[in-house]
Amino acid sequence: IDKPGQCAFLTRGPSRYFGGDQAMSERAARVISDAIGGSTSVHVGTADGRFAALRAAALAEPNRARVVPAGASAAFLSPLPIGLLAGGDQDPAKRKQLEDMVDVLSRLGLSSLGAFADLEAGDVIARFGAAGVRAHLWARGLDDRPGSPEDPPAELEVAIDLDPPVLRVDQAAFVAKALAEEFIRKLNARGISCARV
């Protein structure tokens, strides 16, 4: 779940199981629409990366899916307006950086995502820093934080047997906090950090 009302998931396995991206995406739209009982419309987008999938979902008809064929995300995004980058992040500070970047790009005459994608990555880094790099990846149809289809190494797993089982939420929260601290210690030992637990 990216934010309330929006989620993303890797589709390789489900797509094969349900007969391809289009069939899987249409099924997802139908199942979600049925689950929420028509209280709002559902838009499903499938593409190579999160940003392209969100754009596809935004362009999908209500309670339908729009699928961008594999490898075609850059071509799909190319004619779309540069202003779409401004909504690419939920964090207010990062969103402001993207809005400022879009303003500069617009004043430079770059009006489409394709025009921005055509810029050299080194030039984007030099002018816009990390926010520009992320936006440049999005415009090129790539994902700045791709999902990992691999299971984490077993040595990073943390678990506890609760016998007798806990009966109160505060007890479960206390146990979960201890497990999270143990997990973070294991990550630190490998030189890895975790942005959110």
Side-chain angles (χ1 to χ4, degrees):
I1 297 176
D2 293 331
K3 65 180 183 179
Q6 177 182 308
C7 71
F9 58 93
L10 295 172
T11 62
R12 184 173 295 148
S15 177
R16 281 191 225 138
Y17 183 79
F18 289 109
D21 284 341
Q22 189 68 45
M24 184 245 356
S25 300
E26 292 290 345
R27 180 180 173 92
R30 191 172 50 256
V31 167
I32 295 167
S33 181
D34 291 348
I36 62 174
S39 61
T40 188
S41 60
V42 174
H43 300 267
V44 174
T46 302
D48 294 329
R50 181 176 274 115
F51 181 78
L54 288 172
R55 302 290 68 81
L59 294 171
E61 294 178 29
N63 302 320
R64 299 297 306 272
R66 180 157 185 171
V67 175
V68 178
S73 291
F76 163 73
L77 292 169
S78 185
L80 299 180
I82 194 77
L84 292 175
L85 292 174
D89 206 305
Q90 297 149 18
D91 179 273
K94 291 179 181 176
R95 183 180 293 254
K96 175 71 171 124
Q97 288 177 326
L98 291 171
E99 289 170 355
D100 292 345
M101 182 189 69
V102 166
D103 180 56
V104 170
L105 292 170
S106 296
R107 285 188 279 127
L108 290 171
L110 298 172
S111 60
S112 70
L113 293 175
F116 179 54
D118 288 341
L119 295 177
E120 291 294 327
D123 294 337
V124 173
I125 293 169
R127 177 61 180 91
F128 299 110
V133 170
R134 289 176 42 243
H136 196 242
L137 286 170
W138 297 339
R140 291 171 34 221
L142 303 174
D143 208 341
D144 66 314
R145 54 179 192 160
S148 174
E150 301 169 8
D151 290 331
E155 59 268 13
L156 289 180
E157 291 182 11
V158 293
I160 188 169
D161 291 324
L162 300 173
D163 190 24
V166 294
L167 301 175
R168 297 187 351 228
V169 172
D170 62 326
Q171 292 172 327
F174 182 77
V175 171
K177 182 178 183 292
L179 287 174
E181 289 171 353
E182 181 183 347
F183 176 67
I184 290 170
R185 275 194 301 276
K186 287 184 174 189
L187 290 177
N188 288 340
R190 290 174 156 240
I192 304 171
S193 64
C194 186
R196 180 172 38 184
V197 177

